[in-house]
Amino acid sequence: MALGKYTRVDNNRRSSSYCSTVAVVVFVALCLIGVWMMTSSSSVSTVDMSSPDTKSESKEQVPQINSKPFEDSSGDVPDDAKRGEDNDADANSSTNVNMVEKNQDENSDDASKSGTFNDANGKVEGGDGTTEGGQSEGEDKKMDKNSDETESDEQNKDNEVKNDEQSQSNDENKSEQDEKPDGEKLQNENDQVQQGKGGQEQDSEAGQSSDDSKSENQGKDQGSNEVFPDGAQSELLNETTTQNEAWATQAAESRNEKAVQSSLSNGQFSWKLCNVTAGADYIPCLDNEKAIKKLPSTKHYEHRERHCPEEGPTCLVPLPEGYKRPIEWPTSRDKIWYSNVPHTKLAVVKGHQNWVKVSGEYLTFPGGGTQFKHGALHYIDFIQEARPDIAWGKRSRVILDVGCGVASFGGYLFDRDVLTMSFAPKDEHEAQVQFALERGIPAISAVMGTKRLPFPGRVFDVVHCARCRVPWHIEGGKLLLELNRLLRPGGYFVWSATPVYQNLTEDVEIWKAMAALMKSMCWEMVAKTKDTLNQVGLAIFKKPSNNECYDKRAENNPPVCGDADDANAAWNIPLQACMHKIPVDTAARGSQWPQEWPSRLEKTPYWLDSTKVGVYGKPAPEDFQADYKHWKRVVSKSYLNGMGINWSAVRNVMDMRSVYGGFAAALRDMKVWVMNIVSIDSPDTLPIIYERGLFGVYHDWCESFSTYPRTYDLLHADHLFSKTKKKCKLAAVIAEVDRLLRPEGKLIVRDDTATISEVENMAKSLHWEIRLTYSKENEGLLCVQKTTWRPSESESNL
C-alpha cells in the first residue's frame, strides 16, 4: 500500500510538471504566432527568377535575406540563386551560384528567428514553412497535438493506473511528432514563392541572420542587385527573341563538362610564356617579325601596320620584373611606376619638352608636349580662344589626336569633358602609347600608312595634329583625305606644326602645298595665330557642311569618291585619294550636327529610321532606348554594387562587343572611359556610338588588339565568346584577354551556359580568381579576376 501510495504521488507530480511544461510551450507558441502575424504583412523584393506564367500563382512569402547578393566581402548570394533546384516546380528556372565566400559562425537562435537560407541548396536553418492562412505548418501541427495532449492529461488526473512506461511512451511520441514537420516545412517552403514587389518595402524588421547583416542591409532594396533583366527586357540578352532550347538536357550538360575536363587533362590549356623579342611588350599583330621581314617596301610605314599571325597565339606575355599595381586615376596622369613601363628613351629625347621624366621609382609627366611645353591646359584654352565655336565639352565632344605622343593633350581634355581617341605607331618613340594607357588615358597603336584607320566615316568633331610628323601633302593628299573621311561635316582640323609659323625654306614649301590642298578640298581656314607663351602657332580649318564648294571647283582634284565607295568601310581597306560627298538628305547621318553634350548621350540619333529593325528586333529608335534602359539597370543594380568590384581602382574599360554603347553610357558618372568594340561581323552600330558622344573601333577578335599588354582594368564581353569560338580557337581569344588585362583586372562575361563553363575552366587553368558564376535557364554570368600567376615554362623556338 505504501508503495502504491508513493507511486500515485510520483505520477501526480510528473503529470503536474508535464502540464506546466505543455502550458509554457502553448504560451510561447501563441506569442510567436502573434509576433509572426504582426510582421507577416511585409514582403521581400527579390531577383525575379520566375517565368511570367507563374508570377500570378505565387502567393506565399519567404523570409528576407541579405540585400547585397553578390557582395564578396559578405559571401551572400541572391535568394533566388540560393533556392536553386527547390524552386523549379514554380519558377521554371534553374540557378547556380558559385561565389568566393567567407565562413561565418551562425547563432542558432537568430537563425531560427529569421528563417534565412543557409546555403545554395535551399537548406533552411530553423525557419518554418508558411501557409496561406498566415500560420506556419509546423506550428499548426504542434498546437493541435499539444491541445489533444492537454485534454488527455486532464482526464488522466483522475486515473491512477498511469505508470512510468506510459509517461515515457508519451514523451517519445511527442518528440517524434515535433521532428516530423521539419521535412514538410522545407517542402512547403519551396512549393510556392512570392514575387518581390520592386523593392518598395524595406527589410528593417526581419530577414537578417546576424547583427552585421542587420547593420549593412536595413532599408536596402533586395531587388537593387539584379543580374538578369526580367519581363520585356529579357530579350536584350540575345540578338534573337527566341531560344533554340528552353532547357538544356542533363546529357548535354554532362557531355560538355566531360569535354572540358578532357581538354584540361589532355593539356589543351597547358599555358606557356611567349618566347618573342618584344618580351613583356608583345603585341602579336605589330611584332610579327616573320611577316615584317617579307614586306617588299616600308616606304609608307607598312612595317608599322598590322600583320597578324595566321592563328592567334595561345602563349602568355610575361610581366616586367618588379611589376606593381598601377597607380589610380587621377594621380596616374602625373606619375606611374617605372617598373611597370621600364623605358627611359623618351625621357632622354623628349624630357626638355616636358613629355616625361624619370624621378626615382616613378616616371613623371609634367603635362607638356612638343607644342605645349608649358602645359596642355593652356594650349587647350588657346585653341578655343582662337576659335570659340569649338566649344570644348559641348559642341566638340569626341576628337581624334594624331601622333599623340604620351597623350597629355587627351589626358587634360578630360578636364573639359572631352573624350579623345589618341593614336601613335609603335616606333622609335619607345612605348609612347603604353605610357598613355598606364596613365589612364585612352590610346591605341596605329599609323597613317596604306590603310584606312579602324573608324567609321564622319564621326569625329575635331581632328588634332601637333607636330605629328605626318606628310599630309604628298601623293595627292591621300593621308589628309583620310582625315576628311573621318571628320564630321562642319568639323575642325587643328594643325600645330612648324610650317604654320616658321619661315624656313622647307616649312614655307610645305605650307604652300598644304594651303593649296586644303583649298581644293574646300576646307576653310578659320583661324591662324601664335601662342606667345609657347612660341608656337596653329591653324584651324573647317570642313564644309554641304556639297556646294565641291560642285563649284574648277578641277575635280582631288576627285569625289564614287557612289559605291562606302565611307564607313574601314577594316583592311586601302586608302583612296578621293573625297566622299556630304549627305544632303536631312534624315541622313552627317547632315546635321549632333546635340550638345551631354544631351547627345541619351538622345536617340535623329537619323535612326523607325521603319528599320534594330539589333534586338524592335524598330531602331525603340531598340536604342531599350538597350540603354537595359544597361542602366544592369550596371546600377548589379555591376556597381553586386560584384565586389572596387570601382575606384577601375579606369580603363573595354566593352569587347558593344552594340549601341549602352554599357558605356551607363558608366557615364564613373571616373572611367570605355573603349567600345564593334566586331567586324556584327551589325555596324559604331556610328551610333560616336553620335552619342562615345568612341570605339572596329575589330576582329580572332586577331590581337592593337594595344600593349596590361592596359585594361576591366573587360566586358556580352555574348562575344560564343560567337567568336565558331570562327577561331577560344583559347587564343582568352590568351588575348589575359594579355589585355592588368593583374587584378576583372573580366565580366555574359553568355550561354556552355560557353560560360568553357571560359570558367580556362580561367581556372590560368589561376584566375572566380568571383562569381550565375546562371538562369540557358544564360549565364561570370566574373573573374586575373592574378599575377605566370607559367614557368616558355614556348620553344621554332
Side-chain angles (χ1 to χ4, degrees), residues 691-745:
E691 190 78 7
R692 63 191 309 182
L694 306 172
F695 65 10
V697 299
Y698 297 114
H699 186 60
D700 180 358
W701 282 113
C702 288
E703 301 177 0
S704 71
F705 191 71
S706 293
T707 191
Y708 282 82
R710 306 170 302 279
T711 49
Y712 283 87
D713 301 301
L714 187 145
L715 301 181
H716 183 255
D718 179 33
H719 290 81
L720 169 71
F721 298 128
S722 57
K723 298 177 183 297
T724 305
K725 69 180 183 180
K726 297 176 182 178
K727 304 187 303 174
C728 50
K729 293 181 180 179
L730 185 57
V733 183
I734 298 301
E736 175 64 4
V737 168
D738 178 89
R739 194 184 70 86
L740 296 176
L741 268 181
R742 292 169 168 171
E744 298 187 16

Side-chain angles (χ1 to χ4, degrees), residues 174-324:
K174 177 181 181 298
S175 176
E176 187 176 340
Q177 290 180 17
D178 281 342
E179 292 175 0
K180 184 177 179 181
D182 285 345
E184 297 173 3
K185 286 186 289 184
L186 181 59
Q187 178 64 35
N188 186 63
E189 185 79 31
N190 294 298
D191 281 342
Q192 290 184 321
V193 178
Q194 178 179 356
Q195 180 188 353
K197 298 181 179 180
Q200 295 178 358
E201 299 176 12
Q202 297 180 340
D203 58 357
S204 60
E205 296 183 8
Q208 285 76 23
S209 62
S210 67
D211 292 337
D212 291 341
S213 62
K214 284 182 181 179
S215 63
E216 289 176 4
N217 301 301
Q218 279 186 346
K220 289 206 173 186
D221 178 4
Q222 173 64 27
S224 65
N225 292 327
E226 299 185 26
V227 180
F228 292 106
D230 57 7
Q233 297 293 324
S234 61
E235 75 277 7
L236 291 172
L237 290 170
N238 295 291
E239 290 187 10
T240 174
T241 55
T242 61
Q243 296 289 336
N244 293 329
E245 295 182 10
W247 300 91
T249 65
Q250 179 60 222
E253 292 173 347
S254 300
R255 202 162 44 240
N256 176 69
E257 179 62 19
K258 288 178 181 178
V260 172
Q261 292 183 7
S262 175
S263 62
L264 284 169
S265 62
N266 292 335
Q268 181 177 343
F269 305 138
S270 179
W271 306 100
K272 296 181 180 180
L273 290 176
C274 298
N275 188 3
V276 291
T277 305
D281 296 334
Y282 181 43
I283 306 176
C285 289
L286 298 181
D287 293 318
N288 188 350
E289 295 177 345
K290 184 178 180 180
I292 292 173
K293 289 178 181 178
K294 294 180 180 179
L295 292 174
S297 172
T298 59
K299 178 182 178 182
H300 297 97
Y301 301 98
E302 291 90 344
H303 57 304
R304 307 297 186 195
E305 294 182 322
R306 291 171 57 85
H307 303 282
C308 299
E310 293 182 3
E311 289 190 0
T314 55
C315 59
L316 304 182
V317 178
L319 295 176
E321 185 176 353
Y323 183 86
K324 301 179 181 180

